Amino acid sequence: MNRSLQLCSTSCLMALTLVLVGETASAAPGGANVKIVLENDKVQVRETSWKPGDVRPSEAVANRVVRVMKGGTLLREYPDGKTQEVRFQTGEVRWLDSSTGATTAYSIKNVGTTEVVLYTVILK
């Protein structure tokens, strides 16, 4: 019985967190739309969408899992001027960490012709 109560409490807390945090979204004109779906002391879960031409300002992001909801082509631009084109396929799942250069700060721009939507779980 105690285990059931604990599971129920955890589920309720997660649902409340989703309701409270799920409304957070930011998008400057021409900027990517970032919606924080869940955040706690262990992870941040966000859904980010880029229309063609949209840019997310430079940001360093920790190790993460990315699920591609809508695929397309994004261009990373690093502070040193280096660029890297990244193609995402709808339905694909990727692990991004320092071995791929993905934890270094970079801005990202949708250089394709379709909207790109990524669902990301960032480890803290």
Side-chain angles (χ1 to χ4, degrees):
M1 184 69 170
N2 191 18
R3 179 79 174 142
S4 296
L5 182 59
Q6 184 181 20
L7 288 173
C8 182
S9 297
T10 301
S11 297
C12 290
L13 181 58
M14 288 180 71
L16 179 60
T17 302
L18 286 172
V19 168
L20 294 175
V21 179
E23 299 302 318
T24 304
S26 64
N33 183 22
V34 180
K35 181 178 181 181
I36 306 301
V37 179
L38 171 72
E39 184 160 22
N40 60 34
D41 62 330
K42 298 188 186 330
V43 298
Q44 182 187 76
V45 181
R46 59 171 85 161
E47 183 175 290
T48 308
S49 60
W50 292 263
K51 292 179 181 165
D54 281 356
V55 177
R56 186 208 69 199
S58 187
E59 175 184 23
V61 181
N63 295 343
R64 60 201 178 275
V65 176
V66 177
R67 166 87 178 179
V68 182
M69 307 308 286
K70 290 184 183 178
T73 305
L74 299 176
L75 183 71
R76 291 178 181 170
E77 185 172 350
Y78 296 89
D80 64 3
K82 176 185 163 194
T83 61
Q84 178 185 20
E85 192 172 274
V86 183
R87 290 187 178 94
F88 292 97
Q89 298 294 321
T90 299
E92 132 182 70
V93 177
R94 293 186 185 184
W95 168 252
L96 301 175
D97 63 13
S98 59
S99 71
T100 62
T103 57
T104 304
Y106 57 84
S107 63
I108 194 159
K109 179 179 183 177
N110 183 346
V111 293
T113 58
T114 60
E115 181 181 36
V116 176
V117 180
L118 303 179
Y119 192 84
T120 307
V121 179
I122 303 165
L123 304 179
K124 290 187 176 181

